[in-house]
């Protein structure tokens, strides 16, 4: 075969692969956004991060290995960009006082609940605003893991890869992050009760 | 020996994350079957996770969707 038609065919295949890559990436954008929204500090920040992430992904599409987890790949780019933006002042998480136990929030809500102990009704005592605010109060290092696993449904292993930290660190930050979230929720619930 | 409710509390997060071994899971379930307080707390935690997810989920704005699509690299 002549070199020219061969080259033309290669270019056509590459163009087709790239178009497919872009379409697949765009089809995941809703799911990526749901996570990105809470990795970023604000809606505006999430908007910018998403655009930077997709611009970079479209430029470096060749580095994606077909058949691997594209959503995780996109979030890896996004978290790196988020860190590059200087979002984090300190890398080491601040140690905070220990958050009682895992049952603290339930006990507090049930205590103030006029005898209502049905778990779903107890949960509904928290307002949507309280929850959004409480999540934003969780320090970044803990929140990143919490958001990836609890909102993004990523496995511990995927979260470890996205954030470039060991799986053991994912587990401990997740556990701590959930407790901090519950402590924040308990504080807002107590404020409302008084 | 550790207080069974304290042990059950330690098992709660990994239980709900489905990462316990079969043996650990069975152990937790044995205790849950006989302890109403722990059952309630597990159910609360499960409801809380669902509730938090619902409360914080925001759909992507339509304008952003258009902006992302516009970032595609045109074919030469």
């Amino acid at each position: 075969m002549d070199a020219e038609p061969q080259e033309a065919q290669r270019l056509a295949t590459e163009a087709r692969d790239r178009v497919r890559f872009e379409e697949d990436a765009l089809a995941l954008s809703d799911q990526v956004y749901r996570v990105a929204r809470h990795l970023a500090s604000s809606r505006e920040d999430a908007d910018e991060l998403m655009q930077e992430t997709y611009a970079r992904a479209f430029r470096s599409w060749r580095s994606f290995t077909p058949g691997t987890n594209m959503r995780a790949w996109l979030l890896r780019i996004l978290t790196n960009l988020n860190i590059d933006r200087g979002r984090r002042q300190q890398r080491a998480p601040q140690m905070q006082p220990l958050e009682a136990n895992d049952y603290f929030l339930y006990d507090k809500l049930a205590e103030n609940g006029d005898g209502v102990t049905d778990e779903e009704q107890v949960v509904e005592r928290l307002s949507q605003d309280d929850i959004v605010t409480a999540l934003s109060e969780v320090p970044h290092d803990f929140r990143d893991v919490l958001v990836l696993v609890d909102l993004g449904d990523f496995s511990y292993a995927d979260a470890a890869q996205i954030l470039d930290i060991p799986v053991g660190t994912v587990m401990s930050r997740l556990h701590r992050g959930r407790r901090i979230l519950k402590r924040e929720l308990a504080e807002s619930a107590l404020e409302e009760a008084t | 020996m550790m207080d069974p409710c304290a042990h059950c509390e330690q098992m709660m997060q990994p239980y709900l994350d489905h990462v316990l071994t079969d043996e650990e899971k069975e152990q937790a379930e044995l205790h849950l079957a006989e302890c109403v307080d722990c059952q309630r707390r597990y159910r609360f935690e499960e409801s809380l996770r669902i509730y938090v997810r619902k409360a914080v989920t925001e759909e992507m704005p339509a304008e952003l969707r258009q902006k992302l699509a516009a970032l595609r690299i045109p074919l030469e």
Side-chain angles (χ1 to χ4, degrees), chain A residues 27-54:
Chain A
L28 290 170
S29 60
D30 286 284
Q31 292 178 50
V32 174
Y33 181 81
R34 269 176 233 150
V35 178
R37 170 63 191 89
H38 297 287
L39 292 175
S41 311
S42 65
R43 215 165 273 142
E44 292 69 33
D45 216 18
D47 200 298
E48 281 175 27
L49 258 180
M50 285 290 286
Q51 292 184 62
E52 285 174 31
T53 300
Y54 272 77

Side-chain angles (χ1 to χ4, degrees), chain A residues 182-194:
Chain A
K182 284 192 275 186
R183 186 193 59 200
E184 296 291 338
L185 287 170
E187 276 172 15
S188 55
L190 287 177
E191 273 167 30
E192 271 162 35
T194 51

Side-chain angles (χ1 to χ4, degrees), chain A:
Chain A
M1 207 195 262
D2 291 344
E4 231 169 88
Q6 246 181 5
E7 177 61 7
Q9 196 174 3
R10 191 190 64 76
L11 287 174
T13 308
E14 190 178 83
R16 201 186 53 222
D17 289 349
R18 182 157 66 78
V19 168
R20 187 178 302 155
F21 167 87
E22 289 176 349
E23 282 169 359
D24 289 350
L26 286 170
L28 290 170
S29 60
D30 286 284
Q31 292 178 50
V32 174
Y33 181 81
R34 269 176 233 150
V35 178
R37 170 63 191 89
H38 297 287
L39 292 175
S41 311
S42 65
R43 215 165 273 142
E44 292 69 33
D45 216 18
D47 200 298
E48 281 175 27
L49 258 180
M50 285 290 286
Q51 292 184 62
E52 285 174 31
T53 300
Y54 272 77
R56 185 173 288 188
F58 290 157
R59 279 200 309 272
S60 49
W61 69 280
R62 283 188 191 83
S63 63
F64 173 71
T65 312
T68 59
N69 186 341
M70 190 186 278
R71 197 167 63 99
W73 185 80
L74 289 165
L75 275 157
R76 174 93 200 248
I77 297 178
L78 192 133
T79 47
N80 282 338
L81 285 168
N82 203 19
I83 292 164
D84 289 350
R85 284 159 70 100
R87 185 203 67 183
R88 286 170 222 242
Q89 296 304 310
Q90 81 262 346
R91 291 288 305 140
Q94 276 176 326
M95 291 318 281
Q96 305 197 358
L98 205 62
E99 304 76 26
N101 61 32
D102 237 346
Y103 297 153
F104 180 68
L105 176 62
Y106 174 71
D107 293 343
K108 284 289 161 210
L109 289 174
E111 214 170 84
N112 295 317
D114 309 323
V116 177
T117 53
D118 179 272
E119 299 71 33
E120 281 170 29
Q121 282 177 297
V122 169
V123 144
E124 283 166 14
R125 208 160 287 141
L126 299 163
S127 75
Q128 183 178 8
D129 283 351
D130 284 345
I131 297 178
V132 172
T133 309
L135 181 63
S136 70
E137 299 288 332
V138 177
H140 285 303
D141 286 308
F142 299 107
R143 193 190 340 148
D144 287 353
V145 180
L146 189 65
V147 166
L148 287 171
V149 176
D150 283 358
L151 306 184
D153 288 323
F154 283 106
S155 65
Y156 295 174
D158 280 339
Q161 216 187 358
I162 292 168
L163 297 169
D164 201 18
I165 54 176
V167 174
T169 309
V170 167
M171 290 162 74
S172 59
R173 286 190 191 173
L174 181 62
H175 192 68
R176 197 84 201 269
R178 284 172 177 156
R179 280 206 181 182
I180 296 171
L181 178 69
K182 284 192 275 186
R183 186 193 59 200
E184 296 291 338
L185 287 170
E187 276 172 15
S188 55
L190 287 177
E191 273 167 30
E192 271 162 35
T194 51

